[in-house]
Amino acid sequence: DNLVVRLKKINFASGRADLPSASMPLLTKVKSVIKELGPAAVVVQGHTDGVGTAKVNQALSEKRAESVAKYFESDESLSEEKFDTAGFGYTKPLASNKTKEGRAQNRRVDIVITPSHNL
């Protein structure tokens, strides 16, 4: 029943949680979708590649989720209380962590949108 927007092209640098400027157009599009849907809830889920320890990756995934949520919350037309964050470290990879390309895909954020009952 939820809509999942998978942001594989956000291009987080390895070990970093700051939003790359090249990802702003993509985040702006996602923000407009959220506005249009007027969802009951939005969960921003952070993910990492398999480089480093579980503890470091867990913290990094949480920081990635928080940086995207803060970007959305900075828009006054989006209600802050609708956003929640979660970090999954490297526990939910999309691709192999054995290649540079695979690791880049795994450094992502998923946006889980729960529609309001008015839709």
Side-chain angles (χ1 to χ4, degrees), residues 14-15 48-58 60 89-90 97 103:
S14 184
T48 65
D49 60 27
V51 177
T53 66
K55 183 178 180 179
V56 167
N57 278 291
Q58 180 61 38
L60 180 58
Y90 54 60
N97 278 304
R103 288 189 298 274

Side-chain angles (χ1 to χ4, degrees), residues 18-99:
D18 49 317
L19 297 176
S21 59
S23 66
M24 291 306 157
L26 175 62
L27 289 170
T28 300
K29 286 181 186 178
V30 174
K31 188 167 52 171
S32 68
V33 168
I34 293 170
K35 275 189 220 179
E36 191 172 319
L37 290 175
V42 178
V43 179
V44 182
Q45 300 177 341
H47 300 272
T48 65
D49 60 27
V51 177
T53 66
K55 183 178 180 179
V56 167
N57 278 291
Q58 180 61 38
L60 180 58
S61 66
E62 291 169 6
K63 287 178 185 174
R64 286 180 175 164
E66 289 165 7
S67 67
V68 172
K70 284 179 185 174
Y71 172 77
F72 292 146
E73 290 169 353
S74 70
D75 188 317
E76 292 178 9
S77 67
L78 295 176
S79 176
E80 272 188 53
E81 59 273 1
K82 288 184 182 177
F83 292 93
D84 199 4
T85 60
F88 291 95
Y90 54 60
T91 63
K92 295 185 177 190
L94 294 178
S96 171
N97 278 304
K98 293 181 180 180
T99 67

